């Protein structure tokens, strides 16, 4: 009878020590404003988010959102018969312009507050 208890205890310990499941896109989108306001993430001229200061879920938020952005940029490039890098560049320019004052943007390879 002690063996099932030990097995249960071992399984419970393994489950509790397993890494937390990755966040989904909706969770990443919800977390983005706070991450930008905290200075963890910023906009880059290539149309993607970058990690300014690692912390919290910054890397995962950027990964989820950048993946969705890349898919959308690819769709736009395909539909408009233009190069992906051109779509990324246009999106990056817009993102830099729309970034709220006090949040981070990358210019000439350097993070700075707008």
């Amino acid at each position: 009878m002690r063996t099932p208890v030990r097995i249960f205890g071992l399984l419970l310990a393994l489950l509790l020590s397993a890494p937390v499941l990755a966040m989904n896109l909706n969770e990443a989108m919800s977390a983005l404003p706070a991450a930008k306001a905290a200075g963890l993430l910023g906009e880059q001229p290539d149309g993607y988010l970058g990690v300014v200061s690692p912390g919290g879920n910054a890397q995962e938020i950027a990964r989820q959102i950048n993946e969705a952005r890349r898919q959308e940029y690819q769709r736009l490039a395909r539909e408009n018969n233009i190069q992906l890098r051109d779509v990324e560049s246009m999106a990056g320019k817009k993102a830099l312009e729309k970034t709220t004052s006090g949040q981070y943007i990358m210019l000439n390879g350097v993070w700075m507050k707008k």
Side-chain angles (χ1 to χ4, degrees):
M1 193 66 175
R2 287 187 72 116
T3 302
V5 172
R6 286 184 180 172
I7 292 173
F8 176 75
L10 179 59
L11 287 174
L12 183 61
L14 287 172
L15 286 174
L16 293 176
S17 66
V20 177
L21 295 175
M23 64 175 39
N24 65 36
L25 180 58
N26 287 333
E27 293 167 335
M29 293 295 291
S30 295
L32 179 59
K36 284 177 125 182
L40 301 177
L41 297 174
E43 294 290 347
Q44 302 177 131
D46 64 359
Y48 298 101
L49 290 169
V51 177
V52 177
S53 177
N57 291 330
Q59 191 70 36
E60 182 63 13
I61 294 167
R63 188 189 70 75
Q64 287 283 342
I65 293 173
N66 285 342
E67 185 177 307
R69 285 183 181 186
R70 186 171 296 105
Q71 289 174 5
E72 180 64 11
Y73 298 163
Q74 288 171 336
R75 184 189 66 77
L76 289 168
R78 191 173 45 253
E79 287 180 2
N80 293 289
N81 198 31
I82 57 178
Q83 294 292 315
L84 175 61
R85 68 177 174 268
D86 293 333
V87 175
E88 292 168 333
S89 179
M90 288 185 279
K93 182 178 179 187
K94 273 187 174 179
L96 294 178
E97 290 170 358
K98 292 172 86 175
T99 296
T100 305
S101 180
Q103 293 184 353
Y104 283 90
I105 59 173
M106 182 177 276
L107 292 177
N108 300 317
V110 177
W111 287 113
M112 58 183 51
K113 281 190 178 183
K114 182 173 178 184

